[in-house]
Amino acid sequence: EVQLVESGGGLVQPGGSLRLSCVASGLTFSSYAMRWVRQAPGKGLQWVSSINNGGGSTSYSDSVKGRFTISRDNAEKTVYLQMNSLQPEDTAVYYCNAGLTTGVPLRKYNYWGQGTQVTVSS
């Protein structure tokens, strides 16, 4: 059974920092690209950041670029999201996602964690 378990969320003041972690089990972690996606209250899912399977390529949404850093440790089967200079608009449930497209014929594998709440408020 594949599991993705996020942690590290909480309440932080504007300008503060948090580090989210997502620990994977039940899959070959080093084969999967990983993403962080968030959902603010009353809104849809918003992509935040991605990292490729080897960790050498990352990308960010414009809204978090320069403030958030994604990284991964394949030996620990963990992906991280370091969030600095947090603002109230960053308040959301943050989900990690593992994705892989492979095989002949191509097959997509897509897994989600249960989410961790991040609240930015004074």
Side-chain angles (χ1 to χ4, degrees):
E1 179 190 7
V2 175
Q3 284 192 315
L4 300 176
V5 180
E6 300 98 334
S7 62
L11 174 65
V12 64
Q13 292 186 340
S17 298
L18 285 174
R19 189 194 196 201
L20 305 184
S21 300
C22 171
V23 180
S25 61
L27 52 72
T28 305
F29 183 75
S30 59
S31 295
Y32 283 76
M34 300 298 296
R35 296 187 300 166
W36 286 97
V37 177
R38 67 187 181 185
Q39 186 168 28
K43 296 189 177 180
L45 292 174
Q46 179 192 25
W47 169 72
V48 174
S49 181
S50 297
I51 187 167
N52 71 339
N53 63 317
S57 177
T58 59
S59 56
Y60 301 90
S61 68
D62 286 344
S63 60
V64 307
K65 196 174 296 182
R67 300 188 298 122
F68 291 11
T69 303
I70 191 171
S71 61
R72 67 189 294 162
D73 184 336
N74 284 348
E76 297 296 326
K77 298 185 178 181
T78 302
V79 62
Y80 304 97
L81 187 67
Q82 177 66 45
M83 305 186 296
N84 299 330
S85 302
L86 283 161
Q87 300 302 318
E89 53 265 34
D90 295 315
T91 295
V93 178
Y94 284 72
Y95 299 92
C96 72
N97 168 262
L100 173 66
T101 302
T102 188
V104 178
L106 283 179
R107 183 174 175 183
K108 291 186 176 181
Y109 300 85
N110 198 33
Y111 303 104
W112 292 86
Q114 83 290 348
T116 186
Q117 176 71 48
V118 171
T119 302
V120 185
S121 175
S122 55

